[in-house]
């Protein structure tokens, strides 16, 4: 008897597609979370919700071709024959599992999956009726496993948060809230609140008038993970584990842990899904930490099949995909923060937000897109074209970048207004900064994480205090972001009784005059960089910034020296110029002391 899958409504066809999708998704989830994460201890670059998101997404990827076959099968039943159907979905299942291993070339995956499909068609087609009966009996169990996975992950996260809140000690009455906003990849040179000519940040300008602006704040590293680790622990990158392949470990307490010990509710909201996630050790101390969103876009990116399709250049071009599918904009981040804040007003809160709007690809939303001039013809991935990008395209790219900053500034202004309407700003310490900057042709470089020049290290820093204390103050001393934890602990009233090292920056506005800054150390490890025109390719780099000079020691031993306050573009290297030998000698001798200094030195 003929057994095609078209039928009047294609029920058998869709049942087969759904069964293979659930089996493929559950198998990949077990491999990802059970083998890769638990047994091998690898990063999976996904949330625990992948346990149910993967099979749900596979339903989409498998049912789509099933729908095509159902339509075509009405006109040509052979296109819905058992052999073709079993072969197709067996091949898709094999491809999804092979892609999940990330060990094979895509061409090898296609060939192996095709072979599996042919063999499955040969073996299953003659037994189509029995196979269909088996699928009909077991499909509900597969679906139940997906639902159970969703309930388990959601329930575990909810229980974890409730237990963390229940364990909090009473907070001291009147303790101020703490809001830490980190604008990923925003350099001070493109911020009008720091004197830039384009009006990129009118809301930060308003915030600076209400608080303290640090004119020369420096990041301890030119990329995300080590700077965030430093901001959270008060330690310098070379004292921490966090690096290109290694997450931040639990060796040192974090700001979130220290504030939780004082009775603070703590929450983190991260839009940077490359390095600011639970897998990189940055969620420690937060009772709630949101990184990967629970959304259709994130679900489609959870299975290896989805990532392969959406990362394919041809597919992206055909579908018109320009941005990261799971990118969370500042508006969404603010809404998540405000929902969490509104949930409980009985305790002071510490909230951290990482905004990703100014990171490449630079895609400012409509109202801001053309604000500063023409935009690039396409969103560049900077690493691809560091040398060959035409100067005009660099200018267009910077236009897009600064328009994205303006959009982010607008949303930060909206957040401040929302908190003000709730009556919360009068008792909130707000810190707005960036983890690093960006390069647009300076020293022939683009991107970040590849040098220690000022466009990457010099970042905005604005602190506002309850009651408008020190409003409008501008600090001229050079300061490091590694001192933010000590500063926050000082401002919430702990004095020296806290576990976080560093100097409180409050000394710069509490005195009658702003004192000199201490030398600021930044570092960068080589990692995978091999491109010869990139400074980092020559080895690990170190940098020291004081109130006059910026000293850089490259991996090959070559030194650079700039008077950055009069030469902010760092165009004149003074390392070999007459009259600066004493400064070089001072930096050489001081570098060892900075690297070996005890982390407890200078505690408030």
């Amino acid at each position: 008897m003929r057994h095609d899958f078209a039928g009047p409504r294609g029920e058998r066809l869709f049942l087969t597609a759904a069964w293979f999708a659930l089996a493929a998704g559950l198998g990949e989830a077990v491999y990802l979370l059970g083998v890769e994460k638990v047994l091998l201890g690898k990063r999976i670059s996904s949330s625990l919700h992948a346990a149910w998101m993967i099979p749900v997404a596979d339903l989409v990827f498998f049912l789509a071709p099933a729908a095509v076959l159902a339509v075509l099968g009405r006109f040509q039943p052979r296109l819905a024959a058992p052999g073709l159907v079993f072969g197709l979905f067996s091949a898709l299942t094999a491809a999804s599992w092979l892609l999940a291993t990330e060990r094979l070339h895509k061409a090898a995956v296609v060939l192996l999956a095709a072979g599996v499909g042919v063999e499955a068609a040969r073996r299953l087609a003659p037994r189509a009726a029995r196979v269909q009966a088996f699928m009909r009996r077991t499909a509900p169990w597969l679906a139940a496993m997906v639902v159970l996975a969703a309930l388990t992950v959601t329930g575990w996260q909810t229980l974890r948060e409730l237990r963390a809140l229940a364990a909090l000690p009473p907070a001291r009455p009147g303790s101020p809230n703490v809001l830490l906003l980190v604008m990923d990849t925003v350099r001070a040179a493109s911020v009008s609140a720091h004197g830039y000519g384009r009006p990129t940040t009118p809301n930060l300008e308003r915030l600076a008038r209400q608080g303290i602006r640090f004119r020369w704040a420096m990041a301890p590293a030119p990329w995300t993970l080590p700077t965030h680790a430093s901001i959270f622990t008060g330690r310098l990158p070379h004292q921490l584990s966090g690096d290109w392949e290694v997450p931040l470990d639990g060796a040192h307490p974090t700001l979130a842990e220290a504030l939780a010990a004082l009775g603070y509710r703590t929450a983190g909201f991260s839009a940077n899904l490359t390095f600011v996630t639970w897998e990189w050790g940055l969620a420690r101390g937060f009772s709630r930490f949101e990184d990967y969103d629970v959304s259709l876009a994130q679900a489609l990116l959870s299975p290896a099949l989805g990532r392969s399709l959406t990362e394919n250049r041809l597919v992206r071009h055909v579908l018109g995909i320009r941005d990261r599918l799971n990118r969370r904009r500042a508006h969404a981040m603010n809404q998540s923060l405000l929902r969490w804040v509104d949930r409980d007003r009985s305790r002071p809160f510490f909230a951290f937000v990482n905004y990703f709007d100014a990171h490449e690809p630079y895609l400012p939303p409509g109202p801001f897109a053309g604000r500063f001039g023409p935009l690039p013809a396409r969103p560049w991935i900077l690493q691809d074209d560091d040398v060959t990008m035409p100067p005009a395209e660099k200018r267009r790219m910077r236009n897009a970048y600064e328009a994205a900053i303006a959009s982010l500034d607008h949303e930060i202004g909206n957040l401040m207004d929302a908190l003000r309407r709730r009556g919360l700003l009068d008792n909130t310490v707000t810190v707005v900064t960036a983890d690093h900057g960006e390069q647009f042709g300076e020293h022939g470089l683009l991107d970040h994480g590849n040098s220690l020049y000022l466009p990457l290290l010099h970042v905005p820093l604005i602190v506002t205090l309850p009651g408008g204390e020190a409003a409008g103050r501008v600090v001229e001393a050079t300061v490091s972001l590694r001192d933010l934890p000590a500063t926050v602990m000082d401002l919430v009233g702990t004095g020296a009784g806290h576990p976080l090292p560093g100097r409180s920056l409050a000394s710069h506005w509490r005195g009658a005059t702003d004192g000199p800054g201490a030398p600021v150390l930044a570092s960068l490890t080589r990692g995978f960089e091999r491109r010869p025109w990139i400074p980092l390719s020559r080895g690990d780099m170190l940098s020291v910034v004081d109130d006059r000079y910026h000293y850089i020691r490259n991996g090959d031993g070559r030194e650079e020296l700039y008077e950055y306050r009069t030469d902010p573009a760092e165009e004149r290297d003074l390392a070999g110029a007459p009259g600066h030998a004493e400064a070089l000698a001072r930096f050489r001798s001081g570098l060892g002391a900075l690297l070996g200094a005890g982390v407890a030195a200078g505690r408030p």
Side-chain angles (χ1 to χ4, degrees), residues 305-508:
L305 189 60
R307 293 193 300 275
S308 297
L309 288 172
T310 57
E311 291 171 4
N312 182 276
R313 291 190 178 186
L314 178 60
V315 172
R316 292 178 67 87
H317 176 73
V318 170
L319 297 180
I321 301 173
R322 293 167 61 86
D323 204 352
R324 304 164 191 255
L325 287 184
N326 58 353
R327 187 170 191 158
R328 295 189 71 193
R329 294 287 181 175
H331 176 75
M333 302 300 293
N334 290 346
Q335 292 305 306
S336 294
L337 167 64
L338 292 171
R339 283 194 298 269
W340 176 80
V341 166
D342 290 340
R343 194 180 303 168
D344 182 4
R345 301 284 187 88
S346 64
R347 288 179 176 274
F349 67 77
F350 167 50
F352 153 73
V353 183
N354 167 284
Y355 294 112
F356 205 62
D357 299 58
H359 196 285
E360 57 85 13
Y362 314 123
L363 294 168
F368 297 89
R371 177 163 295 191
F372 301 122
L375 301 181
R378 63 183 177 89
W380 289 76
I381 302 300
L382 300 184
Q383 299 92 322
D384 292 344
D385 300 277
D386 286 357
V387 176
T388 61
M389 184 181 294
E393 193 69 359
K394 290 177 185 176
R395 289 192 294 271
R396 296 188 190 101
M397 190 168 61
R398 185 166 172 178
N399 291 342
Y401 169 74
E402 290 172 350
I405 292 176
S407 170
L408 174 55
D409 173 81
H410 174 75
E411 294 298 340
I412 290 177
N414 288 342
L415 175 63
M416 294 298 108
D417 291 341
L419 293 172
R420 188 175 293 107
R421 289 193 298 269
R422 287 164 168 79
L424 293 172
L425 283 188
D426 290 338
N427 192 37
T428 297
V429 174
T430 302
V431 179
V432 182
T433 188
D435 57 346
H436 57 79
E438 194 79 307
Q439 296 166 137
F440 290 93
E442 298 87 355
H443 296 271
L445 299 169
L446 298 173
D447 200 8
H448 55 267
N450 54 21
S451 80
L452 289 176
Y453 292 117
L454 212 61
L456 301 188
L457 298 183
H458 185 202
V459 293
L461 176 59
I462 298 170
V463 178
T464 63
L465 306 175
E469 179 186 346
R473 188 74 174 263
V474 177
V475 174
E476 296 288 345
T478 303
V479 301
S480 172
L481 297 188
R482 66 81 53 110
D483 287 323
L484 287 180
T487 305
V488 169
M489 297 306 289
D490 184 17
L491 295 177
V492 302
T494 62
H498 64 80
L500 303 176
R503 298 175 172 85
S504 172
L505 299 179
S507 61
H508 291 288

Side-chain angles (χ1 to χ4, degrees), residues 466-553:
E469 179 186 346
R473 188 74 174 263
V474 177
V475 174
E476 296 288 345
T478 303
V479 301
S480 172
L481 297 188
R482 66 81 53 110
D483 287 323
L484 287 180
T487 305
V488 169
M489 297 306 289
D490 184 17
L491 295 177
V492 302
T494 62
H498 64 80
L500 303 176
R503 298 175 172 85
S504 172
L505 299 179
S507 61
H508 291 288
W509 69 77
R510 284 177 176 162
T513 58
D514 177 22
V520 171
L521 179 69
S523 59
L524 180 60
T525 58
R526 182 179 183 181
F528 312 106
E529 185 56 69
R530 297 295 182 270
R531 293 169 294 174
W533 66 89
I534 301 296
L536 183 58
S537 67
R538 296 187 286 274
D540 296 355
M541 303 178 66
L542 293 168
S543 162
V544 181
V545 185
D546 64 14
D547 285 341
R548 178 181 177 184
Y549 289 107
H550 181 198
Y551 168 83
I552 299 173
R553 191 178 77 186

Side-chain angles (χ1 to χ4, degrees), residues 82-138:
L84 190 148
V85 172
F86 287 137
L88 172 63
F89 295 116
S90 295
L92 281 176
T93 299
S96 68
W97 289 348
L98 292 169
L99 288 169
T101 66
E102 297 184 345
R103 292 177 176 86
L104 295 174
H105 191 278
K106 298 292 176 62
V109 169
V110 171
L111 288 174
L112 288 171
V116 170
V118 170
E119 183 63 17
R122 186 180 71 83
R123 291 177 176 271
L124 298 181
R127 304 171 179 85
R130 280 184 290 171
V131 172
Q132 278 275 292
F134 172 78
M135 289 179 173
R136 196 171 288 109
R137 289 195 306 272
T138 56

Side-chain angles (χ1 to χ4, degrees), residues 253-275:
T254 66
L255 178 59
E257 289 176 319
L259 290 173
L262 297 178
Y264 276 71
R265 294 172 62 222
T266 57
F269 305 88
S270 172
N272 184 326
L273 302 182
T274 305
F275 286 111

